[in-house]
Amino acid sequence: MTSRDATDGGTDPLSVDPNLFGDGRENSPVGIRAIAQELRINLDAMLGGGERPNGNVNQISTDGELSAAQIGQWDDAQALASTVGSSNAGRKFAEVYQKFIEAYQSVVEAVEASADNHDRARRANEGDA
């Protein structure tokens, strides 16, 4: 749906679901922690935990070439494999992926810290109830 659809009587694509956060506030620590938990699940999978068959950094060979199986079986992955699988491109790909994981981890930690900050502010403003 586009913003024009909203002006023609459709639902607003930018409206926030009022039930998104557990306590009804838009900056709810409960909701922010739920988002952080989902992000952390994905981060753990990237680090080799979880049940995902691919996408974790431990599957990337840093000592040379990447195989198509390590990248994926869909058409675009096969095309990528022919590019990154040569010479030391696998190592470069692993380095970039590791940097992505580090940045993603920083985001997860920032979201968790945000929830803590909102919770501390709530307690300071409302008391320790």
Side-chain angles (χ1 to χ4, degrees):
M1 169 171 285
T2 66
S3 57
R4 182 176 181 126
D5 293 331
T7 60
D8 292 337
T11 59
D12 182 1
L14 301 178
S15 65
V16 176
D17 180 359
N19 300 315
L20 180 64
F21 297 117
D23 60 7
R25 296 183 300 169
E26 288 187 25
N27 62 353
S28 164
V30 172
I32 295 170
R33 282 195 182 93
I35 292 167
Q37 182 178 10
E38 288 296 318
L39 293 171
R40 182 138 324 259
I41 289 168
N42 290 327
L43 175 63
D44 290 343
M46 286 183 248
L47 295 173
E51 302 294 323
R52 294 191 181 169
N54 60 22
N56 91 55
V57 72
N58 299 325
Q59 293 175 324
I60 300 174
S61 170
T62 58
D63 60 355
E65 296 185 11
L66 290 171
S67 71
Q70 288 172 303
I71 296 174
Q73 298 302 318
W74 62 96
D75 293 340
D76 290 339
Q78 295 293 310
L80 180 64
S82 67
T83 303
V84 300
S86 60
S87 68
N88 68 351
R91 180 171 308 171
K92 290 177 186 175
F93 183 78
E95 290 170 7
V96 170
Y97 193 58
Q98 184 62 44
K99 287 180 183 180
F100 169 78
I101 288 173
E102 290 166 5
Y104 192 95
Q105 184 167 10
S106 295
V107 168
V108 172
E109 291 167 358
V111 171
E112 290 168 339
S114 178
D116 292 342
N117 288 339
H118 282 291
D119 207 27
R120 275 193 299 277
R122 181 200 55 81
R123 285 194 310 269
N125 290 329
E126 300 172 5
D128 261 341

